[in-house]
Amino acid sequence: MESQTSKSQAIDLAPLRAVLEEKFRPRDSQEAQELIVMACQEAQALYGWVPPEAAQCIADHLGTTINRVYGLLTFYADFRTTPPGEHFLWLCGGAACYVMGAPKLIELLREQYQLTDHGVSPDGKLTLHIFNGCLGVCDLAPVIQVDHHHYWGHLTPEKLRDALEALRADGVAEEQTHGATE
Ligand code: FES
């Protein structure tokens, strides 16, 4: 399925409607209330975030209000109510990465790319999440996982900036281990 991550793209609600019809058939209003979070999870799985049109669709289907849906969407940190950037950066905030220089990487991302934790860059190209734990590749510390598959390791602010500029230019995330012994 084609990614539906841009604000300018029309959201195709047909897949969500199909899921709602198939799986979400509450017997009463109490059960409908209990299904809102699960319905939002389905929407996020389909679109990568929960667009306003999808939130309204869920509200209509479950016989509740858009305010109720947004109340839950904003209560749970895992839900996205803005579209993700084209590239997803998962910066490891674990102890080894912290000691090896992750704070300097965060500083660069904040100052030069206006990226905050769980933020999207103004040009919509990058989404940053800071992972509060260990990504399991401490030998690459400090490390960023890019687009869920690639690792940029042994990063310095300069190497990160170069890698990000290459990513923004040609859209391809290459492994960047910078001297890793593999
Ligand atoms: S602490 Fe970052 S990979 Fe382990």
Side-chain angles (χ1 to χ4, degrees):
M1 176 177 158
E2 193 171 328
S3 167
Q4 300 183 48
T5 56
S6 165
K7 274 180 177 158
S8 61
Q9 285 178 305
I11 301 295
D12 178 6
L13 291 174
L16 178 61
R17 288 201 181 101
V19 169
L20 292 173
E21 284 297 328
E22 186 191 336
K23 295 191 194 170
F24 294 82
R25 295 174 167 273
R27 284 164 294 189
D28 53 38
S29 61
Q30 175 65 33
E31 194 175 313
Q33 293 292 319
E34 292 166 7
L35 291 175
I36 297 171
V37 170
M38 279 172 57
C40 290
Q41 287 170 335
E42 295 281 359
Q44 183 150 295
L46 282 168
Y47 305 112
W49 61 301
V50 184
E53 302 93 322
Q56 185 66 60
C57 182
I58 289 167
D60 292 345
H61 182 82
L62 295 176
T64 187
T65 64
I66 187 80
N67 285 349
R68 174 74 179 138
V69 175
Y70 268 101
L72 291 167
L73 283 174
T74 52
F75 180 78
Y76 292 104
D78 285 348
F79 285 124
R80 296 193 58 86
T81 54
T82 55
E86 276 173 44
H87 298 287
F88 186 87
L89 309 176
W90 217 11
L91 186 146
C92 182
C97 286
Y98 188 88
V99 169
M100 294 297 283
K104 291 259 180 234
L105 305 179
I106 294 169
E107 199 177 298
L108 172 87
L109 291 167
R110 285 197 175 133
E111 289 181 0
Q112 292 203 9
Y113 296 92
Q114 290 92 53
L115 276 166
T116 55
D117 188 8
H118 292 76
V120 179
S121 59
D123 63 3
K125 292 256 183 189
L126 306 170
T127 294
L128 172 68
H129 280 216
I130 297 174
F131 182 66
N132 290 322
C134 171
L135 286 178
V137 285
C138 300
D139 56 326
L140 297 179
V143 64
I144 293 180
Q145 188 196 72
V146 185
D147 293 339
H148 309 288
H149 296 296
H150 305 277
Y151 287 93
W152 293 352
H154 301 153
L155 285 170
T156 63
E158 295 72 31
K159 287 170 180 169
L160 175 57
R161 188 171 48 234
D162 290 348
L164 285 174
E165 290 310 312
L167 182 65
R168 281 151 56 102
D170 65 26
V172 178
E174 305 285 355
E175 302 296 323
Q176 308 260 346
T177 51
H178 299 291
T181 50
E182 295 177 359

